[in-house]
Amino acid sequence: MEHATRVGTRVGNRLLAALPPADLAVLAPYLRKVPLPHDAVLVRSGDRIEHLYFPCSGAIAFIMELPNGQTAATAVIGNDGAVGLMSALGPARSPMTAVVRVAGTALQISPARFHAILLRRPAIAGAVQILTRALLTQFQHVAACNALHSVEARLARWLLHIHDRTDGGDVLPLTQETLSELLGVRRTTVTQVLSSLRASRAVKSSRRGQVEIDRLRLEAVACECYKLMSRRIDRIVSQDAVRMLHAAPAPNDCPPPDFPFARTDS
């Protein structure tokens, strides 16, 4: 069951937690903590964005779907990101599908409510800019990596990105179908790549629906994109970014207006 979150230090999402307390206090009454079940589709490509999600735990993959049915992942986010940010600029349809790959929780808010608050709180607008920069950075790196590096190196990179965003140890709940979707290759190719990673002991086992990794060996197999991308995203979502949010000009603290869509907010 959904329930309102309380303002406090245990917000879960890194950017929401970095907001000045006054800005977080404005958002908090409208945030709902919701579960993110494994394999849940939060939004499909072409659908209107009905909710914004700020993950607190778990991992979500952004999937690009082509007309011929082929898919490929363009980014993976956890508590460093958000789903549905385009709707912060106004009503929008999603350019891609967002699927929960590791179960967790998120803070959910309606786009209209978030947009109305964003217009009055510069620090929240700054958080959207930071999250957008981090996501675009990941898109650019993934595009270059897909063009230049082997399937083995790319799979190692995805496994590391997902491992970074989970707290369940070295066993990742990923099926071969999911890995095929992430990589944009056939399942037979995934089988071959997993066999190669097992031979190098970067993957300890790949039982049905699970992949057990050896992190150090996996880092040795992954291309340089993993560490480069991680450093750049961490730099964007960093203490420097936190300082920028707290340096945002304070709004005129007048009482918030009544929202015409309040009845739809459960």
Side-chain angles (χ1 to χ4, degrees):
M1 179 180 295
E2 298 182 5
H3 57 279
T5 187
R6 294 181 179 179
V7 179
T9 57
R10 300 177 63 185
V11 177
N13 185 271
R14 288 172 63 183
L15 259 293
L16 290 183
L19 287 171
D23 294 271
L24 183 57
V26 173
L27 275 177
Y30 309 110
L31 294 169
R32 298 290 181 268
K33 193 169 187 178
V34 297
L36 298 177
H38 178 64
D39 284 344
V41 178
L42 302 183
V43 64
R44 291 191 181 277
S45 175
D47 286 355
R48 187 171 294 279
I49 299 172
E50 302 291 344
H51 302 286
L52 271 76
Y53 297 89
F54 291 90
C56 300
S57 59
I60 299 165
F62 290 111
I63 306 295
M64 183 62 70
E65 298 174 305
L66 300 180
N68 64 1
Q70 289 182 301
T71 64
T74 57
V76 170
I77 65 163
N79 69 354
D80 56 342
V83 176
L85 273 185
M86 284 186 62
S87 63
L89 305 176
R93 295 187 182 275
S94 179
M96 61 194 71
T97 297
V99 185
V100 178
R101 286 310 177 203
V102 177
T105 61
L107 297 173
Q108 181 194 82
I109 188 171
S110 75
R113 179 83 63 184
F114 186 80
H115 183 251
I117 295 173
L118 176 148
L119 293 176
R120 298 185 290 114
R121 313 296 298 197
I124 295 174
V128 171
Q129 292 178 19
I130 291 167
L131 288 169
T132 302
R133 284 174 56 208
L135 198 55
L136 287 175
T137 297
Q138 192 171 169
F139 288 160
Q140 292 169 340
H141 275 285
V142 169
C145 185
N146 287 348
L148 299 173
H149 297 135
S150 69
V151 180
E152 287 85 358
R154 288 162 47 205
L155 178 56
R157 173 177 55 76
W158 280 128
L159 292 175
L160 289 168
H161 281 315
I162 293 171
H163 187 248
D164 287 344
R165 291 160 175 81
T166 62
D167 53 8
D170 292 336
V171 178
L172 305 177
L174 301 170
T175 64
Q176 288 203 7
E177 183 179 0
T178 296
L179 298 177
S180 172
E181 184 180 64
L182 286 170
L183 291 166
V185 299
R186 296 181 179 180
R187 290 180 62 178
T188 53
T189 302
V190 172
T191 300
Q192 295 169 359
V193 174
L194 285 173
S195 178
S196 174
L197 292 177
R198 282 197 303 272
S200 66
R201 295 188 291 174
V203 167
K204 296 180 181 179
S205 65
S206 53
R207 298 182 296 275
R208 184 179 179 86
Q210 292 184 335
V211 178
E212 184 179 6
I213 67 168
D214 182 307
R215 172 133 195 143
L216 290 178
R217 287 190 170 96
L218 200 62
E219 288 180 356
V221 174
C223 54
E224 64 270 22
C225 291
Y226 167 69
K227 289 185 178 179
L228 183 60
M229 191 188 312
S230 297
R231 284 198 302 268
R232 288 183 175 174
I233 291 174
D234 282 344
R235 193 178 305 132
I236 294 169
V237 188
S238 66
Q239 289 303 311
D240 289 340
V242 172
R243 285 194 290 271
M244 186 190 83
L245 294 182
H246 284 259
N252 183 13
D253 288 324
C254 55
D258 291 333
F259 293 97
F261 39 78
R263 296 177 184 174
T264 65
D265 193 44
S266 57

